[in-house]
Tab-separated table of all heavy atoms in Angstrom:
chain	number	residue	atom	x	y	z
A	58	ALA	N	15.323	-4.006	-10.309
A	58	ALA	CA	14.867	-2.643	-10.587
A	58	ALA	C	15.877	-1.839	-11.392
A	58	ALA	O	15.620	-0.697	-11.753
A	58	ALA	CB	14.564	-1.911	-9.282
A	59	ASN	N	17.032	-2.435	-11.633
A	59	ASN	CA	18.109	-1.755	-12.347
A	59	ASN	C	18.504	-0.453	-11.649
A	59	ASN	O	18.597	0.610	-12.256
A	59	ASN	CB	17.723	-1.510	-13.803
A	59	ASN	CG	18.925	-1.210	-14.668
A	59	ASN	OD1	20.038	-1.612	-14.358
A	59	ASN	ND2	18.696	-0.492	-15.764
A	60	LEU	N	18.687	-0.585	-10.323
A	60	LEU	CA	19.110	0.537	-9.482
A	60	LEU	C	20.357	0.118	-8.703
A	60	LEU	O	20.562	-1.062	-8.460
A	60	LEU	CB	18.022	0.900	-8.467
A	60	LEU	CG	16.675	1.337	-9.015
A	60	LEU	CD1	15.648	1.368	-7.888
A	60	LEU	CD2	16.785	2.704	-9.663
A	61	SER	N	21.149	1.075	-8.277
A	61	SER	CA	22.310	0.739	-7.465
A	61	SER	C	21.883	0.497	-6.018
A	61	SER	O	20.913	1.082	-5.545
A	61	SER	CB	23.348	1.856	-7.524
A	61	SER	OG	22.860	2.992	-6.846
A	62	GLU	N	22.617	-0.368	-5.324
A	62	GLU	CA	22.315	-0.612	-3.902
A	62	GLU	C	22.460	0.663	-3.075
A	62	GLU	O	21.612	0.916	-2.207
A	62	GLU	CB	23.205	-1.729	-3.351
A	62	GLU	CG	22.700	-3.112	-3.737
A	62	GLU	CD	23.467	-4.227	-3.068
A	62	GLU	OE1	23.223	-4.450	-1.849
A	62	GLU	OE2	24.284	-4.860	-3.750
A	63	PRO	N	23.479	1.505	-3.314
A	63	PRO	CA	23.554	2.751	-2.549
A	63	PRO	C	22.310	3.635	-2.715
A	63	PRO	O	21.874	4.286	-1.775
A	63	PRO	CB	24.795	3.453	-3.097
A	63	PRO	CG	25.665	2.331	-3.578
A	63	PRO	CD	24.706	1.317	-4.132
A	64	LEU	N	21.710	3.623	-3.909
A	64	LEU	CA	20.480	4.391	-4.115
A	64	LEU	C	19.348	3.825	-3.257
A	64	LEU	O	18.557	4.584	-2.681
A	64	LEU	CB	20.078	4.385	-5.587
A	64	LEU	CG	18.799	5.152	-5.926
A	64	LEU	CD1	18.920	6.622	-5.548
A	64	LEU	CD2	18.468	5.003	-7.408
A	65	LEU	N	19.273	2.504	-3.140
A	65	LEU	CA	18.248	1.889	-2.287
A	65	LEU	C	18.376	2.367	-0.845
A	65	LEU	O	17.379	2.651	-0.181
A	65	LEU	CB	18.357	0.358	-2.308
A	65	LEU	CG	17.974	-0.345	-3.597
A	65	LEU	CD1	18.252	-1.839	-3.472
A	65	LEU	CD2	16.524	-0.114	-3.930
A	66	TYR	N	19.619	2.483	-0.391
A	66	TYR	CA	19.849	2.903	0.994
A	66	TYR	C	19.501	4.372	1.239
A	66	TYR	O	19.337	4.784	2.371
A	66	TYR	CB	21.287	2.605	1.414
A	66	TYR	CG	21.505	1.132	1.688
A	66	TYR	CD1	22.307	0.371	0.842
A	66	TYR	CD2	20.901	0.507	2.761
A	66	TYR	CE1	22.502	-0.984	1.085
A	66	TYR	CE2	21.071	-0.841	3.011
A	66	TYR	CZ	21.873	-1.579	2.166
A	66	TYR	OH	22.050	-2.909	2.418
A	67	ARG	N	19.352	5.149	0.180
A	67	ARG	CA	18.885	6.523	0.342
A	67	ARG	C	17.412	6.536	0.757
A	67	ARG	O	16.951	7.479	1.391
A	67	ARG	CB	19.050	7.309	-0.967
A	67	ARG	CG	20.486	7.699	-1.237
A	67	ARG	CD	20.661	8.522	-2.482
A	67	ARG	NE	19.731	9.645	-2.555
A	67	ARG	CZ	19.383	10.222	-3.704
A	67	ARG	NH1	19.865	9.791	-4.847
A	67	ARG	NH2	18.547	11.236	-3.698
A	68	PHE	N	16.693	5.481	0.364
A	68	PHE	CA	15.253	5.391	0.671
A	68	PHE	C	14.965	4.501	1.865
A	68	PHE	O	14.032	4.768	2.620
A	68	PHE	CB	14.491	4.870	-0.555
A	68	PHE	CG	14.500	5.815	-1.703
A	68	PHE	CD1	15.443	5.689	-2.711
A	68	PHE	CD2	13.572	6.847	-1.771
A	68	PHE	CE1	15.454	6.578	-3.771
A	68	PHE	CE2	13.580	7.737	-2.835
A	68	PHE	CZ	14.533	7.608	-3.838
A	69	TYR	N	15.751	3.441	2.025
A	69	TYR	CA	15.487	2.456	3.081
A	69	TYR	C	16.777	2.045	3.775
A	69	TYR	O	17.731	1.643	3.115
A	69	TYR	CB	14.804	1.211	2.494
A	69	TYR	CG	13.463	1.529	1.892
A	69	TYR	CD1	13.281	1.646	0.519
A	69	TYR	CD2	12.363	1.747	2.716
A	69	TYR	CE1	12.042	1.968	-0.023
A	69	TYR	CE2	11.119	2.066	2.192
A	69	TYR	CZ	10.970	2.174	0.827
A	69	TYR	OH	9.739	2.492	0.303
A	70	GLY	N	16.763	2.099	5.089
A	70	GLY	CA	17.932	1.708	5.867
A	70	GLY	C	18.155	0.204	5.874
A	70	GLY	O	19.270	-0.271	5.965
A	71	ASP	N	17.043	-0.545	5.761
A	71	ASP	CA	17.149	-2.015	5.707
A	71	ASP	C	15.874	-2.585	5.088
A	71	ASP	O	14.932	-1.859	4.782
A	71	ASP	CB	17.413	-2.607	7.094
A	71	ASP	CG	16.314	-2.352	8.111
A	71	ASP	OD1	15.154	-2.049	7.698
A	71	ASP	OD2	16.580	-2.450	9.311
A	72	ILE	N	15.875	-3.878	4.913
A	72	ILE	CA	14.732	-4.560	4.281
A	72	ILE	C	13.462	-4.400	5.121
A	72	ILE	O	12.364	-4.270	4.565
A	72	ILE	CB	15.063	-6.057	4.043
A	72	ILE	CG1	16.142	-6.190	2.957
A	72	ILE	CG2	13.817	-6.848	3.655
A	72	ILE	CD1	15.754	-5.657	1.587
A	73	ASN	N	13.569	-4.381	6.432
A	73	ASN	CA	12.369	-4.240	7.264
A	73	ASN	C	11.667	-2.907	7.031
A	73	ASN	O	10.438	-2.842	7.030
A	73	ASN	CB	12.703	-4.427	8.743
A	73	ASN	CG	12.908	-5.875	9.089
A	73	ASN	OD1	12.354	-6.764	8.461
A	73	ASN	ND2	13.718	-6.125	10.095
A	74	GLU	N	12.429	-1.840	6.827
A	74	GLU	CA	11.810	-0.541	6.505
A	74	GLU	C	11.044	-0.621	5.192
A	74	GLU	O	9.947	-0.079	5.067
A	74	GLU	CB	12.873	0.555	6.417
A	74	GLU	CG	13.419	1.014	7.751
A	74	GLU	CD	14.434	2.131	7.600
A	74	GLU	OE1	14.458	2.811	6.545
A	74	GLU	OE2	15.219	2.337	8.545
A	75	LEU	N	11.616	-1.310	4.238
A	75	LEU	CA	10.951	-1.496	2.944
A	75	LEU	C	9.688	-2.343	3.117
A	75	LEU	O	8.636	-2.036	2.552
A	75	LEU	CB	11.906	-2.149	1.940
A	75	LEU	CG	11.310	-2.586	0.606
A	75	LEU	CD1	10.647	-1.422	-0.117
A	75	LEU	CD2	12.386	-3.226	-0.257
A	76	LEU	N	9.772	-3.403	3.915
A	76	LEU	CA	8.605	-4.261	4.138
A	76	LEU	C	7.447	-3.489	4.775
A	76	LEU	O	6.281	-3.755	4.472
A	76	LEU	CB	8.974	-5.459	5.012
A	76	LEU	CG	9.668	-6.606	4.290
A	76	LEU	CD1	10.095	-7.686	5.297
A	76	LEU	CD2	8.789	-7.206	3.215
A	77	VAL	N	7.767	-2.534	5.636
A	77	VAL	CA	6.716	-1.695	6.214
A	77	VAL	C	5.956	-0.974	5.098
A	77	VAL	O	4.720	-0.957	5.081
A	77	VAL	CB	7.311	-0.698	7.233
A	77	VAL	CG1	6.303	0.402	7.585
A	77	VAL	CG2	7.765	-1.431	8.486
A	78	ASP	N	6.673	-0.395	4.155
A	78	ASP	CA	6.007	0.301	3.049
A	78	ASP	C	5.265	-0.680	2.137
A	78	ASP	O	4.200	-0.352	1.599
A	78	ASP	CB	7.017	1.112	2.231
A	78	ASP	CG	7.290	2.476	2.843
A	78	ASP	OD1	6.656	2.819	3.863
A	78	ASP	OD2	8.135	3.213	2.281
A	79	VAL	N	5.807	-1.871	1.948
A	79	VAL	CA	5.124	-2.897	1.145
A	79	VAL	C	3.787	-3.246	1.783
A	79	VAL	O	2.756	-3.313	1.100
A	79	VAL	CB	6.016	-4.162	0.978
A	79	VAL	CG1	5.200	-5.349	0.468
A	79	VAL	CG2	7.177	-3.875	0.037
A	80	VAL	N	3.765	-3.457	3.091
A	80	VAL	CA	2.526	-3.818	3.772
A	80	VAL	C	1.539	-2.642	3.766
A	80	VAL	O	0.341	-2.829	3.531
A	80	VAL	CB	2.811	-4.314	5.211
A	80	VAL	CG1	1.511	-4.521	5.989
A	80	VAL	CG2	3.627	-5.600	5.166
A	81	HIS	N	2.041	-1.423	3.962
A	81	HIS	CA	1.149	-0.252	3.849
A	81	HIS	C	0.558	-0.175	2.443
A	81	HIS	O	-0.627	0.142	2.273
A	81	HIS	CB	1.897	1.046	4.161
A	81	HIS	CG	2.035	1.331	5.610
A	81	HIS	ND1	0.959	1.521	6.435
A	81	HIS	CD2	3.136	1.484	6.391
A	81	HIS	CE1	1.374	1.758	7.674
A	81	HIS	NE2	2.702	1.739	7.675
A	82	TYR	N	1.349	-0.482	1.449
A	82	TYR	CA	0.886	-0.469	0.059
A	82	TYR	C	-0.228	-1.504	-0.128
A	82	TYR	O	-1.223	-1.255	-0.807
A	82	TYR	CB	2.047	-0.756	-0.891
A	82	TYR	CG	1.712	-0.530	-2.339
A	82	TYR	CD1	1.938	0.706	-2.934
A	82	TYR	CD2	1.172	-1.545	-3.123
A	82	TYR	CE1	1.623	0.918	-4.271
A	82	TYR	CE2	0.854	-1.334	-4.456
A	82	TYR	CZ	1.084	-0.109	-5.023
A	82	TYR	OH	0.762	0.113	-6.333
A	83	PHE	N	-0.062	-2.678	0.479
A	83	PHE	CA	-1.038	-3.757	0.387
A	83	PHE	C	-2.408	-3.312	0.915
A	83	PHE	O	-3.446	-3.667	0.364
A	83	PHE	CB	-0.538	-4.976	1.162
A	83	PHE	CG	-1.471	-6.146	1.170
A	83	PHE	CD1	-1.766	-6.819	0.001
A	83	PHE	CD2	-2.037	-6.591	2.345
A	83	PHE	CE1	-2.626	-7.922	-0.003
A	83	PHE	CE2	-2.884	-7.679	2.364
A	83	PHE	CZ	-3.182	-8.346	1.193
A	84	TYR	N	-2.410	-2.516	1.958
A	84	TYR	CA	-3.667	-2.070	2.583
A	84	TYR	C	-4.113	-0.677	2.153
A	84	TYR	O	-5.145	-0.197	2.603
A	84	TYR	CB	-3.527	-2.085	4.116
A	84	TYR	CG	-3.486	-3.477	4.696
A	84	TYR	CD1	-2.357	-3.948	5.356
A	84	TYR	CD2	-4.593	-4.314	4.607
A	84	TYR	CE1	-2.329	-5.226	5.902
A	84	TYR	CE2	-4.573	-5.590	5.148
A	84	TYR	CZ	-3.440	-6.039	5.804
A	84	TYR	OH	-3.419	-7.295	6.332
A	85	ARG	N	-3.385	-0.033	1.289
A	85	ARG	CA	-3.613	1.389	1.042
A	85	ARG	C	-4.949	1.745	0.414
A	85	ARG	O	-5.428	2.858	0.586
A	85	ARG	CB	-2.467	1.979	0.229
A	85	ARG	CG	-2.539	1.755	-1.241
A	85	ARG	CD	-1.334	2.375	-1.918
A	85	ARG	NE	-1.622	2.644	-3.301
A	85	ARG	CZ	-0.775	3.152	-4.130
A	85	ARG	NH1	0.437	3.481	-3.715
A	85	ARG	NH2	-1.092	3.372	-5.368
A	86	PHE	N	-5.604	0.841	-0.288
A	86	PHE	CA	-6.868	1.164	-0.931
A	86	PHE	C	-8.083	0.772	-0.100
A	86	PHE	O	-9.216	1.020	-0.497
A	86	PHE	CB	-6.956	0.511	-2.314
A	86	PHE	CG	-5.974	1.080	-3.288
A	86	PHE	CD1	-4.899	0.334	-3.733
A	86	PHE	CD2	-6.107	2.383	-3.741
A	86	PHE	CE1	-3.974	0.861	-4.615
A	86	PHE	CE2	-5.186	2.931	-4.627
A	86	PHE	CZ	-4.117	2.160	-5.067
A	87	ASP	N	-7.861	0.165	1.053
A	87	ASP	CA	-8.984	-0.339	1.855
A	87	ASP	C	-10.008	0.736	2.177
A	87	ASP	O	-11.210	0.547	1.969
A	87	ASP	CB	-8.485	-0.979	3.141
A	87	ASP	CG	-7.870	-2.356	2.907
A	87	ASP	OD1	-7.635	-2.715	1.748
A	87	ASP	OD2	-7.613	-3.047	3.896
A	88	LYS	N	-9.569	1.853	2.709
A	88	LYS	CA	-10.506	2.893	3.128
A	88	LYS	C	-11.288	3.464	1.954
A	88	LYS	O	-12.500	3.711	2.059
A	88	LYS	CB	-9.786	3.988	3.891
A	88	LYS	CG	-9.268	3.519	5.243
A	88	LYS	CD	-9.075	4.660	6.197
A	88	LYS	CE	-8.418	4.236	7.487
A	88	LYS	NZ	-9.006	3.145	8.178
A	89	SER	N	-10.642	3.663	0.804
A	89	SER	CA	-11.358	4.211	-0.343
A	89	SER	C	-12.345	3.189	-0.912
A	89	SER	O	-13.458	3.561	-1.313
A	89	SER	CB	-10.394	4.704	-1.424
A	89	SER	OG	-9.598	3.657	-1.916
A	90	VAL	N	-11.977	1.907	-0.920
A	90	VAL	CA	-12.909	0.873	-1.369
A	90	VAL	C	-14.119	0.850	-0.451
A	90	VAL	O	-15.272	0.835	-0.905
A	90	VAL	CB	-12.228	-0.514	-1.430
A	90	VAL	CG1	-13.255	-1.632	-1.566
A	90	VAL	CG2	-11.221	-0.581	-2.567
A	91	GLN	N	-13.877	0.868	0.848
A	91	GLN	CA	-14.963	0.811	1.814
A	91	GLN	C	-15.885	2.033	1.686
A	91	GLN	O	-17.113	1.904	1.729
A	91	GLN	CB	-14.404	0.694	3.233
A	91	GLN	CG	-13.717	-0.631	3.471
A	91	GLN	CD	-12.903	-0.676	4.758
A	91	GLN	OE1	-12.967	0.242	5.576
A	91	GLN	NE2	-12.138	-1.722	4.930
A	92	LYS	N	-15.305	3.192	1.509
A	92	LYS	CA	-16.100	4.416	1.360
A	92	LYS	C	-16.950	4.350	0.085
A	92	LYS	O	-18.116	4.743	0.092
A	92	LYS	CB	-15.156	5.633	1.313
A	92	LYS	CG	-15.835	6.950	1.434
A	92	LYS	CD	-14.806	8.061	1.525
A	92	LYS	CE	-15.481	9.399	1.720
A	92	LYS	NZ	-14.544	10.488	1.832
A	93	THR	N	-16.376	3.844	-0.986
A	93	THR	CA	-17.098	3.692	-2.243
A	93	THR	C	-18.283	2.736	-2.084
A	93	THR	O	-19.384	3.013	-2.547
A	93	THR	CB	-16.169	3.190	-3.367
A	93	THR	OG1	-15.117	4.142	-3.540
A	93	THR	CG2	-16.903	2.988	-4.670
A	94	ILE	N	-18.039	1.601	-1.413
A	94	ILE	CA	-19.092	0.617	-1.207
A	94	ILE	C	-20.229	1.227	-0.378
A	94	ILE	O	-21.404	1.063	-0.703
A	94	ILE	CB	-18.550	-0.648	-0.510
A	94	ILE	CG1	-17.471	-1.341	-1.356
A	94	ILE	CG2	-19.674	-1.628	-0.172
A	94	ILE	CD1	-17.862	-1.747	-2.730
A	95	GLN	N	-19.886	1.922	0.692
A	95	GLN	CA	-20.902	2.520	1.560
A	95	GLN	C	-21.730	3.570	0.839
A	95	GLN	O	-22.904	3.771	1.159
A	95	GLN	CB	-20.275	3.111	2.816
A	95	GLN	CG	-19.815	2.078	3.808
A	95	GLN	CD	-20.845	1.015	4.129
A	95	GLN	OE1	-20.660	-0.146	3.808
A	95	GLN	NE2	-21.940	1.386	4.744
A	96	SER	N	-21.147	4.261	-0.127
A	96	SER	CA	-21.875	5.319	-0.838
A	96	SER	C	-22.797	4.768	-1.921
A	96	SER	O	-23.619	5.502	-2.463
A	96	SER	CB	-20.889	6.323	-1.447
A	96	SER	OG	-20.174	5.724	-2.506
A	97	LYS	N	-22.677	3.485	-2.246
A	97	LYS	CA	-23.503	2.892	-3.303
A	97	LYS	C	-24.924	2.683	-2.824
A	97	LYS	O	-25.166	2.319	-1.690
A	97	LYS	CB	-22.922	1.538	-3.745
A	97	LYS	CG	-21.636	1.650	-4.508
A	97	LYS	CD	-21.162	0.302	-4.993
A	97	LYS	CE	-19.840	0.485	-5.694
A	97	LYS	NZ	-19.793	-0.118	-6.980
A	98	ASN	N	-25.828	2.918	-3.733
A	98	ASN	CA	-27.217	2.561	-3.481
A	98	ASN	C	-27.369	1.080	-3.803
A	98	ASN	O	-26.675	0.553	-4.643
A	98	ASN	CB	-28.165	3.389	-4.350
A	98	ASN	CG	-28.151	4.838	-3.976
A	98	ASN	OD1	-28.048	5.180	-2.795
A	98	ASN	ND2	-28.241	5.717	-4.963
A	99	GLY	N	-28.282	0.454	-3.146
A	99	GLY	CA	-28.512	-0.950	-3.424
A	99	GLY	C	-28.620	-1.742	-2.142
A	99	GLY	O	-28.453	-1.218	-1.038
A	100	SER	N	-28.871	-2.999	-2.311
A	100	SER	CA	-29.071	-3.875	-1.158
A	100	SER	C	-27.731	-4.178	-0.480
A	100	SER	O	-26.650	-3.930	-1.041
A	100	SER	CB	-29.716	-5.186	-1.612
A	100	SER	OG	-28.788	-5.941	-2.381
A	101	CYS	N	-27.818	-4.712	0.706
A	101	CYS	CA	-26.623	-5.121	1.446
A	101	CYS	C	-25.886	-6.226	0.709
A	101	CYS	O	-24.660	-6.242	0.662
A	101	CYS	CB	-27.001	-5.570	2.857
A	101	CYS	SG	-27.767	-4.255	3.840
A	102	VAL	N	-26.640	-7.144	0.137
A	102	VAL	CA	-26.041	-8.240	-0.630
A	102	VAL	C	-25.296	-7.681	-1.841
A	102	VAL	O	-24.199	-8.135	-2.184
A	102	VAL	CB	-27.099	-9.295	-1.033
A	102	VAL	CG1	-26.575	-10.250	-2.089
A	102	VAL	CG2	-27.581	-10.059	0.199
A	103	GLU	N	-25.869	-6.672	-2.486
A	103	GLU	CA	-25.177	-6.032	-3.616
A	103	GLU	C	-23.870	-5.386	-3.173
A	103	GLU	O	-22.884	-5.392	-3.902
A	103	GLU	CB	-26.090	-5.012	-4.290
A	103	GLU	CG	-27.231	-5.646	-5.074
A	103	GLU	CD	-28.293	-4.653	-5.523
A	103	GLU	OE1	-28.335	-3.521	-5.001
A	103	GLU	OE2	-29.079	-5.033	-6.405
A	104	LYS	N	-23.865	-4.844	-1.956
A	104	LYS	CA	-22.634	-4.240	-1.433
A	104	LYS	C	-21.582	-5.316	-1.149
A	104	LYS	O	-20.384	-5.095	-1.383
A	104	LYS	CB	-22.937	-3.415	-0.184
A	104	LYS	CG	-23.684	-2.139	-0.496
A	104	LYS	CD	-23.968	-1.309	0.730
A	104	LYS	CE	-24.715	-0.048	0.362
A	104	LYS	NZ	-24.945	0.839	1.493
């Protein structure tokens, strides 16, 4: 990332804290995708 390690520690105390945000990022669009699908007209198969 071309950042200093001390700068990383300003955001994350350790790798596990960062992994928590990575996993949240992985799932972050689920609710909006689901809401979009439910609002669509069409058959269940189309959804």
Side-chain angles (χ1 to χ4, degrees):
N59 197 25
L60 300 168
S61 69
E62 281 187 75
L64 180 60
L65 290 176
Y66 285 111
R67 285 182 49 203
F68 293 95
Y69 297 103
D71 62 20
I72 291 299
N73 284 332
E74 285 182 20
L75 172 57
L76 280 175
V77 166
D78 277 357
V79 165
V80 173
H81 279 299
Y82 190 91
F83 179 66
Y84 288 116
R85 82 181 203 181
F86 293 111
D87 285 11
K88 292 204 186 307
S89 61
V90 166
Q91 293 168 9
K92 192 174 183 179
T93 300
I94 299 302
Q95 286 311 114
S96 69
K97 290 184 183 230
N98 293 323
S100 70
C101 298
V102 166
E103 288 169 344
K104 289 181 180 184

